[in-house]
Amino acid sequence: MKKYSILFFLIFTTALFAQEETQIPFDKKSNLMEITSKSPFDSVGKSFHPDFQKILLFQSGKSFVLEIYFNIDGKLQRKRQVLSNKEYLKLVEQVEKSSAIQQKFGKAENREDLRWDFVIDQTVLAQYHSFAWQMGLNINVPIFLLVSGSSYFVVDNIASKLELNRFNVLNMRQAHINGLTQGFILGTILSDIKLFESETETVTYYDGFEEEREEERLIFPPPWIQIAFLLSSGLGIYNSYDTYNNSKIETNPGLYTLTKSIELYSLSTLPLLALTILPDKTLESLDNATFWSSLSLAPSLTAKYWVPKYFSDYSLTLGDAMIAENIMVNTFATGGLSLMIIQSDSRSVNFGILTASQIAGLYFGTNYTNGKNFTYKDSRHVSTFAIAGASAGYGLFVVSTYNSTGDLNTGVKLMSALTIAGLWSGFAYGINTLENENTSYLFPENFQLSIHPELLVASNSLNQLSRKPIHIPIIQLNYSW
């Protein structure tokens, strides 16, 4: 009987593996036929093998089989793993969840692109850490190159272990910058504490043929600056780590990204407002680091509470939040450049303009992008045009005033005006050239604006050769009916 049982088992297993296997997608909605180590779904593959190269899924009757390809010592190897129906459904759920996250953040991007962006962002920020540690620990040996160089390898190793997407890559960079800034401002409060007062040393020197003299000099860096640098560095790293963990459970990426932007953007709001409305005597009595640091940090450190509360009804994608940030920065920059045009001697007027421009930037940025459904690609496209426009405006000023000996104040005003015009023209042009079907254009589609500062150079050259003035259009406005 035992003999026949063994024979039956061999026949049954042979028949089972002789059945045809058909490759099936991991997720019918996205028709994902394979998972590779460079895809946004690589975390799913790592749950089966940490060093996988590619995973395929097959169905044979009611059975499901995974083919897992991985590399060991330069040799490609393959492993087959039979899944129960329960395991199969769990796998599909994992893929669908990951796919839904990718849709929120725009089209799935190549993991190598995301890894490159993450490594570059964090390695650049590591340059600050190297300086902060040298100052904070009062190290005489220049460790800047050592830390800066080795940071690339450390960051690259960290990137290989993270589940990266556009959402967490962007926000880890923003959170890192926020932490560096908040930490240093927080550390300045220590300058008001006697325990951290700056120390001095007595230096003896000879002044020409005069007698020996002694002078007290400040020991640099003072203790409070050392702690401020270390606090800044520590908070920057912690913020980045905390943001990565939060991004795994975040359900509203647009609102979260906006919150991170406002954390940095709001650092100057209350100090600017105080400088606008408070009289001179009051400001003199409040001339201490504790007051100004607290005023700066109050809206920034509490942004994660009040921003979601006030903007919870807004419909913002990741791209919407990025363009809102672009509008905020552009508006604030416009306020700063306008001061060079007005050139007022009034403290209230100057700081009032900056305060108003900052508040206006937040208001118009969030309201314009609400419900627009911009993608990350759209936001990058628009910000590039805004920067190019500002550069073109400044370039137009440089070319138009080349070899000019005019009034300096007039030149500063012209430079500021052309830079502002170029900034907003570039932004508007970028918005109008988006291919997003849901885009609401700033200008009608039959309206075209083009700026050609290079033609001014050609005009000047031709005027030198011709007896009659030659006019070439530098700015063109076209409207078609």
Side-chain angles (χ1 to χ4, degrees):
M1 185 65 183
K2 184 177 180 180
K3 178 180 178 180
Y4 290 108
S5 298
I6 295 174
L7 180 62
F8 175 77
F9 174 76
L10 292 173
I11 295 173
F12 175 77
T13 52
T14 302
L16 175 64
F17 286 102
Q19 290 181 1
E20 293 184 356
E21 296 179 348
T22 304
Q23 186 181 5
I24 60 174
F26 290 89
D27 179 13
K28 294 181 180 179
K29 292 182 180 180
S30 62
N31 198 31
L32 181 67
M33 298 303 294
E34 68 176 22
I35 294 176
T36 67
S37 58
K38 295 183 179 181
S39 77
F41 304 94
D42 64 322
S43 60
V44 178
K46 285 182 179 179
S47 63
F48 293 98
H49 196 286
D51 300 317
F52 86 102
Q53 299 292 317
K54 179 176 68 174
I55 295 181
L56 305 177
L57 178 63
F58 294 87
Q59 183 174 10
S60 177
K62 295 183 179 181
S63 302
F64 300 94
V65 182
L66 276 181
E67 278 198 357
I68 306 169
Y69 295 82
F70 51 95
N71 201 312
I72 295 181
D73 297 330
K75 295 181 180 180
L76 185 64
Q77 300 191 23
R78 182 182 66 179
K79 181 178 74 172
R80 292 169 61 85
Q81 182 174 334
V82 179
L83 301 180
S84 65
N85 189 62
K86 184 178 179 180
E87 290 173 327
Y88 165 72
L89 293 176
K90 183 180 178 181
L91 173 61
V92 171
E93 183 183 357
Q94 281 183 286
V95 173
E96 288 180 346
K97 182 180 178 180
S98 182
S99 179
I101 292 174
Q102 291 298 331
Q103 289 175 8
K104 286 183 180 180
F105 310 141
K107 293 182 179 180
E109 297 184 59
N110 187 294
R111 174 173 168 78
E112 289 303 309
D113 293 338
L114 292 168
R115 180 171 174 173
W116 170 256
D117 289 348
F118 172 82
V119 170
I120 292 299
D121 289 345
Q122 302 301 320
T123 302
V124 169
L125 291 170
Q127 315 310 304
Y128 173 83
H129 291 290
S130 63
F131 174 75
W133 295 346
Q134 181 147 354
M135 294 292 289
L137 300 175
N138 199 16
I139 300 174
N140 294 325
V141 179
I143 63 170
F144 179 82
L145 292 177
L146 175 62
V147 176
S148 301
S150 60
S151 64
Y152 178 85
F153 301 99
V154 175
V155 173
D156 184 69
N157 184 57
I158 293 173
S160 66
K161 300 176 181 178
L162 299 180
E163 300 175 20
L164 298 176
N165 54 54
R166 182 53 60 188
F167 172 51
N168 59 31
V169 169
L170 280 174
N171 280 283
M172 286 172 74
R173 177 184 64 194
Q174 184 67 60
H176 204 144
I177 296 172
N178 293 354
L180 296 178
T181 311
Q182 292 166 344
F184 191 83
I185 294 175
L186 189 62
T188 59
I189 296 176
L190 298 174
S191 63
D192 287 337
I193 302 176
K194 292 184 178 180
L195 182 64
F196 296 101
E197 283 184 343
S198 301
E199 299 176 1
T200 59
E201 62 180 353
T202 302
V203 180
T204 303
Y205 67 98
Y206 293 90
D207 185 10
F209 296 99
E210 296 182 9
E211 296 180 356
E212 181 179 312
R213 294 186 179 183
E214 291 186 350
E215 182 179 281
E216 285 193 346
R217 294 181 182 177
L218 185 69
I219 297 177
F220 191 79
W224 71 267
I225 285 186
Q226 291 180 267
I227 295 178
F229 272 118
L230 293 176
L231 191 61
S232 170
S233 178
L235 195 56
I237 295 173
Y238 170 77
N239 265 12
S240 186
Y241 172 78
D242 184 59
T243 298
Y244 173 73
N245 289 329
N246 289 338
S247 68
K248 295 180 179 180
I249 57 175
E250 181 57 47
T251 57
N252 193 335
L255 185 58
Y256 188 87
T257 303
L258 179 67
T259 302
K260 288 298 175 185
S261 297
I262 292 177
E263 279 185 13
L264 185 66
Y265 186 73
S266 63
L267 280 169
S268 59
T269 304
L270 292 184
L272 289 175
L273 184 61
L275 290 166
T276 301
I277 63 176
L278 294 180
D280 292 336
K281 290 184 178 180
T282 305
L283 290 175
E284 290 176 6
S285 64
L286 297 172
D287 188 17
N288 60 80
T290 301
F291 171 75
W292 291 106
S293 298
S294 301
L295 207 60
S296 174
L297 291 170
S300 179
L301 294 178
T302 59
K304 60 183 177 182
Y305 301 108
W306 62 267
V307 172
K309 179 180 178 181
Y310 288 105
F311 295 98
S312 59
D313 294 334
Y314 283 62
S315 176
L316 299 171
T317 62
L318 179 64
D320 293 337
M322 295 295 294
I323 291 184
E325 179 187 21
N326 189 258
I327 293 175
M328 288 189 286
V329 173
N330 291 354
T331 307
F332 193 46
T334 300
L337 289 169
S338 66
L339 298 181
M340 306 175 82
I341 299 174
I342 299 171
Q343 295 185 357
S344 172
D345 294 328
S346 171
R347 171 173 57 82
S348 296
V349 170
N350 290 331
F351 287 107
I353 289 173
L354 291 176
T355 304
S357 66
Q358 193 170 62
I359 295 173
L362 176 60
Y363 176 81
F364 289 113
T366 52
N367 281 277
Y368 172 72
T369 56
N370 183 22
K372 290 296 190 299
N373 294 320
F374 288 117
T375 65
Y376 166 73
K377 182 180 178 182
D378 294 338
S379 67
R380 186 172 58 182
H381 175 87
V382 171
S383 63
T384 301
F385 271 101
I387 295 171
S391 301
Y394 178 76
L396 180 60
F397 159 75
V398 173
V399 172
S400 62
T401 58
Y402 187 69
N403 289 333
S404 174
T405 57
D407 180 60
L408 179 61
N409 285 339
T410 303
V412 170
K413 291 179 180 181
L414 179 62
M415 176 200 69
S416 303
L418 289 175
T419 303
I420 292 173
L423 174 68
W424 288 107
S425 297
F427 176 83
Y429 183 82
I431 290 290
N432 279 266
T433 55
L434 292 180
E435 298 178 357
N436 191 335
E437 296 179 357
N438 298 322
T439 300
S440 175
Y441 295 99
L442 291 180
F443 297 147
E445 294 184 56
N446 52 353
F447 177 91
Q448 293 183 345
L449 170 69
S450 57
I451 303 175
H452 305 283
E454 71 279 358
L455 295 181
L456 185 60
V457 180
S459 175
N460 289 337
S461 300
L462 292 173
N463 283 334
Q464 293 176 3
L465 299 174
S466 175
R467 295 181 179 179
K468 296 182 179 180
I470 297 175
H471 301 283
I472 299 177
I474 298 170
I475 300 178
Q476 279 187 303
L477 298 175
N478 298 322
Y479 187 85
S480 57
W481 284 270

